[in-house]
Amino acid sequence: MSEPLLGESVTLRPATMDDVPALAAIRARPEVRRWWRGGTDLVAEVTRELAEPDTGKLVIEHEGRTVGLIQWHAEQDPDYRHAGIDIYLDPSVHGRGLGADAIRTLARHLFDDHGHHRITIDPAASNAAAIRCYEKVGFRPVGVMRQYERDIDGTWHDGLLLDLLADELTDRVQATGGGMKALPGE
């Protein structure tokens, strides 16, 4: 992908090594580090992650500023082919619909340009805000993966597997009296 992907409020573009300082700073925020963790040297960790060849990494920009990262990988076995995604956002932009916009934009790209029919995401089962965001885009819970991921303190916590089929993607968000409501595609 050479051209940026344009959402309603975000732009997704390929991450470069020039993005490492901004992404490491976002990853260092306690609200992000809680879920994404990392060693003592986040600059080195983000640098290593950006160099991984099997995952597409896109910087999320809003109003010309780096506000997060969304990444994806593909299962290529034709009998199980699908894409998986993951995302983190700067807490300063939480609650504005930018996460849902980024996910919707990448999902549309994976469905339309890469021919995927299904996308998965697997947040911690206790990450209610992330799960609400994913459900706004059309993701549905598949099941709890028990003791799925090791926490910072060494204990295990559950993950929630969600998936999204191409025809379930919501295309737009409409403001309502009580907030935002995802609407199915037309």
Side-chain angles (χ1 to χ4, degrees):
M1 180 189 99
S2 58
E3 294 296 316
L5 301 175
L6 303 177
E8 290 182 25
S9 300
V10 300
T11 299
L12 308 180
R13 63 165 177 79
T16 69
M17 291 303 164
D18 291 340
D19 297 310
V20 169
L23 295 173
I26 294 168
R27 287 274 301 275
R29 302 281 305 267
E31 302 94 325
V32 177
R33 193 171 179 97
R34 173 181 180 195
W35 306 113
W36 277 75
R37 298 183 315 279
T40 56
D41 186 351
L42 286 176
V43 169
E45 186 157 335
V46 171
T47 300
R48 179 187 55 76
E49 290 170 356
L50 290 186
E52 291 173 357
D54 294 335
T55 306
K57 292 152 195 83
L58 302 171
V59 166
I60 303 167
E61 291 182 337
H62 174 65
E63 297 177 347
R65 181 172 75 98
T66 296
V67 296
L69 181 96
I70 190 165
Q71 61 186 24
W72 67 278
H73 67 275
E75 168 60 57
Q76 296 299 338
D77 182 321
D79 293 336
Y80 299 94
R81 190 168 187 276
H82 71 279
I85 66 172
D86 216 341
I87 183 173
Y88 59 85
L89 279 179
D90 189 320
S92 70
V93 298
H94 284 182
R96 297 186 193 177
L98 300 182
D101 188 19
I103 292 165
R104 186 178 298 107
T105 301
L106 178 57
R108 196 172 299 115
H109 172 67
L110 294 172
F111 291 141
D112 295 347
D113 300 331
H114 289 267
H116 289 286
H117 74 286
R118 179 174 169 264
I119 299 172
T120 62
I121 196 162
D122 57 357
S126 61
N127 192 344
I131 294 165
R132 277 192 309 275
C133 172
Y134 307 149
E135 289 175 336
K136 286 179 186 176
V137 177
F139 279 87
R140 295 181 183 180
V142 174
V144 174
M145 299 177 292
R146 298 178 306 142
Q147 297 186 12
Y148 175 65
E149 184 176 42
R150 190 183 315 264
D151 224 328
I152 293 172
D153 65 4
T155 62
W156 292 92
H157 67 256
D158 295 345
L160 179 64
L161 179 63
L162 297 105
D163 71 2
L164 172 71
L165 300 179
D167 64 350
E168 298 169 342
L169 177 65
T170 60
D171 285 339
R172 58 193 174 98
V173 176
Q174 170 182 299
T176 64
M180 304 300 277
K181 177 182 177 187
L183 300 174
E186 295 177 80

